[in-house]
Amino acid sequence: MTAPTPVIAGAGSDKLRGVSPDNVARGFVLYVGVDEDTAAAAGTSLAKLAQEIRAFAQTLVPQAQSYAAVAIAPSDAVGTPLDVVRSTFGDPTVGNRQRQEAVRIPAAEQRPSGVLIDLARREVHLDGDTLNLTFKEFELLNYLVENGTRTVGRDELLGGLWSNADEVPNERTIDVHIRRLRSKLGRLANTVRTVRGEGYRFYEHPEVVVWAAPEYSI
């Protein structure tokens, strides 16, 4: 549920540790850019390739747990096969090089309007600007978006988003976070609405787009 964290090699060893002292390396992601036709030409398939890589990792470290998923993207997706895979799975660093290589166009033409909620990258953009949401503000928005067909009560939000907190907050905490979230959403703040006596609800709006990375597991 978090973006990739930079790591550095430990002094005098090949072990990795997080840049922050509170973080440690817990695993890794291997992106492989290859389509089914290319895999077939090599006498294999994406599913078989993923399964064989997982099996090989298991022989190296029997205790290792693994999960494989195939990236599903439009056939005309822009970028190299590896860029498309990374983008599909929400790698927040893949856009850096693509933005540098993009054709320059007038600023007035490249700034989109409205709100883009990118669940894969855990980012929210308003009129082209990235909003500086806190972790809990995004979690609240994400929860409401994923349950957009119904009203979500305060008790459910507390139980779902603060269940592991050292100190359990009260309903006032939810109200404060919602108020700050709405403030950052600006003119489209009414997409997160209060249902009096029941809780909160996310409402669709023509200027609000929600993105999520499609995938299926193997």
Side-chain angles (χ1 to χ4, degrees):
M1 297 299 292
T2 59
T5 300
V7 295
I8 59 177
S13 73
D14 57 357
K15 292 185 177 180
L16 301 176
R17 61 183 177 85
V19 173
S20 169
D22 297 329
N23 294 333
V24 296
R26 299 294 300 273
F28 65 91
V29 174
L30 173 65
Y31 296 108
V32 178
V34 59
D35 57 43
E36 283 284 15
D37 291 340
T38 304
T44 185
S45 68
L46 294 187
K48 184 178 179 181
L49 185 61
Q51 291 165 353
E52 289 179 348
I53 292 175
R54 292 180 65 190
F56 178 67
Q58 204 75 37
T59 64
L60 297 177
V61 184
Q63 297 83 5
Q65 296 179 324
S66 64
Y67 172 85
V70 173
I72 305 299
S75 58
D76 58 351
V78 178
T80 67
L82 186 57
D83 286 341
V84 173
V85 172
R86 292 173 61 195
S87 177
T88 300
F89 286 125
D91 186 337
T93 64
V94 69
N96 295 340
R97 181 170 63 84
Q98 292 176 334
R99 284 192 293 270
Q100 294 172 358
E101 296 177 351
V103 178
R104 300 293 181 181
I105 58 176
E109 297 179 19
Q110 64 182 347
R111 290 182 63 85
S113 63
V115 170
L116 168 62
I117 303 173
D118 192 335
L119 300 182
R121 294 184 177 86
R122 297 177 64 81
E123 294 177 350
V124 179
H125 306 269
L126 173 62
D127 297 334
D129 294 324
T130 302
L131 300 183
N132 185 26
L133 299 187
T134 66
F135 177 80
K136 284 301 182 185
E137 287 167 355
F138 183 86
E139 289 291 291
L140 274 171
L141 180 60
N142 188 17
Y143 197 95
L144 293 175
V145 168
E146 291 183 343
N147 294 275
T149 58
R150 63 186 181 88
T151 299
V152 180
R154 291 181 176 85
D155 289 342
E156 180 180 343
L157 290 172
L158 288 173
L161 303 180
W162 275 272
S163 58
N164 296 321
D166 294 334
E167 181 179 351
V168 179
N170 53 37
E171 293 184 355
R172 175 63 176 167
T173 303
I174 299 290
D175 297 338
V176 170
H177 279 80
I178 290 290
R179 185 172 67 250
R180 291 173 179 170
L181 173 60
R182 283 175 173 157
S183 176
K184 294 179 180 180
L185 289 174
R187 59 187 178 81
L188 294 172
N190 65 348
T191 56
V192 177
R193 301 185 189 178
T194 300
V195 180
R196 187 175 299 275
E198 296 185 37
Y200 296 100
R201 183 166 184 168
F202 175 80
Y203 281 86
E204 295 183 356
H205 188 281
E207 289 191 84
V208 177
V209 177
V210 177
W211 280 359
E215 63 180 63
Y216 66 85
S217 60
I218 297 175

